[in-house]
Amino acid sequence: MIWPPEDDMSRVVAIFDVDQTLVQGYTERLFFRYLVRQRRLSLPRALVYLSGVACRIRDRFQDKSYLAGLQVEEVVRLARQCYRKDIASRVGLAARACVREHQAQGHAIALLSGSLSLLLAPLQEELGADWLIATELQRVNGQFTGAISGLHPRGPNKLRLLQDLSRAQGFDLSQAYAYGDHIQDSYLFRSIGNPVAVNPSWRLKRQARKYCWPIRYFTL
């Protein structure tokens, strides 16, 4: 991923995870179900996909084969429909307020998620976020291949991708804020000046108590 350089080298950044942090639920699961309901993903193909990823636990988050062969333009259209119908209402008032608080202080906003970039683009637009780092999909001849493009933003990769953005934009991670819910976010939290555990899993809550990270709850 390449971002144009910023002139302001001292801008504070607030980084938000999406699933179970800004959004109550898991956005790609909602999209998967939406595709089945819209009959763009047949039930037999959906079941084959689910049984396959169940046998490949380590690689399951990078397997997007359920989208293989689908037209890019159609999937983007369906993703926007899914966001509008099934996801937008799951962005809680407290989550929106937190984003606005940072923006009121002049902070930049980055969304950092393992979910699909095309699915979260409407959320970026709605919140006025400066950057979106999410899973990019490989495309060939106007169709998705079922593979991802670049690093998958999960665990240590979230930190690597954020460091790339930090170098490109010139902001200081020691001054940044980060909000996340999962133990996988702890890789990022340990390199951020102001980590905040939001709706934390029990493992992240234990880490938050150990390192005295604030704990917040964003509800609908």
Side-chain angles (χ1 to χ4, degrees):
M1 297 182 184
I2 300 174
W3 295 271
E6 279 278 347
D7 293 327
D8 185 355
M9 304 295 283
S10 60
R11 195 174 187 191
V12 174
V13 178
I15 302 114
F16 289 86
D17 172 53
V18 175
D19 291 357
Q20 295 291 84
T21 302
L22 289 177
V23 174
Q24 299 297 303
Y26 297 92
T27 52
E28 191 174 356
R29 291 183 191 177
L30 292 168
F31 186 45
F32 185 90
R33 293 168 187 164
Y34 185 79
L35 291 176
V36 172
R37 292 202 310 272
Q38 295 298 311
R39 299 183 179 180
R40 294 306 299 126
L41 181 61
S42 69
L43 187 57
R45 181 173 176 179
L47 292 174
V48 168
Y49 170 79
L50 291 172
S51 64
V53 295
C55 298
R56 300 188 303 275
I57 298 298
R58 181 171 297 182
D59 300 327
R60 70 188 188 279
F61 294 107
Q62 299 184 49
D63 184 347
K64 310 302 177 187
S65 58
Y66 69 94
L67 293 172
L70 297 181
Q71 295 292 322
V72 171
E73 288 187 5
E74 181 184 19
V75 174
V76 170
R77 177 179 59 80
L78 290 166
R80 286 188 170 273
Q81 289 177 359
C82 176
Y83 178 82
R84 188 168 61 252
K85 294 179 179 179
D86 294 346
I87 297 174
S89 62
R90 292 172 175 264
V91 184
L93 294 177
R96 294 178 186 274
C98 186
V99 172
R100 288 196 299 269
E101 287 168 9
H102 281 287
Q103 291 170 326
Q105 297 176 68
H107 298 171
I109 304 297
L111 305 183
L112 177 57
S113 173
S115 188
L116 304 179
S117 177
L118 60 85
L119 185 58
L120 300 186
L123 177 63
Q124 179 188 14
E125 296 164 7
E126 188 175 298
L127 296 178
D130 299 86
W131 304 291
L132 169 62
I133 302 174
T135 300
E136 302 291 346
L137 299 172
Q138 187 181 83
R139 311 171 184 205
V140 174
N141 297 326
Q143 295 182 334
F144 290 117
T145 67
I148 67 171
S149 177
L151 288 178
H152 182 242
R154 180 175 170 81
N157 285 345
K158 276 191 171 183
L159 177 58
R160 295 188 187 106
L161 289 166
L162 187 62
Q163 287 171 334
D164 288 345
L165 178 63
S166 172
R167 284 190 290 269
Q169 299 296 330
F171 60 78
D172 185 354
L173 291 181
S174 70
Q175 302 299 316
Y177 293 79
Y179 297 82
D181 73 292
H182 197 274
I183 190 62
Q184 291 286 333
D185 295 315
S186 63
Y187 294 98
L188 176 63
F189 279 13
R190 289 194 288 268
S191 299
I192 290 289
N194 302 284
V196 181
V198 176
N199 307 330
S201 64
W202 70 268
R203 293 179 66 193
L204 183 61
K205 183 182 291 186
R206 186 171 63 183
Q207 289 280 299
R209 289 171 175 165
K210 177 179 178 180
Y211 294 108
C212 298
W213 297 332
I215 298 175
R216 294 184 62 178
Y217 292 91
F218 292 168
T219 60
L220 294 176

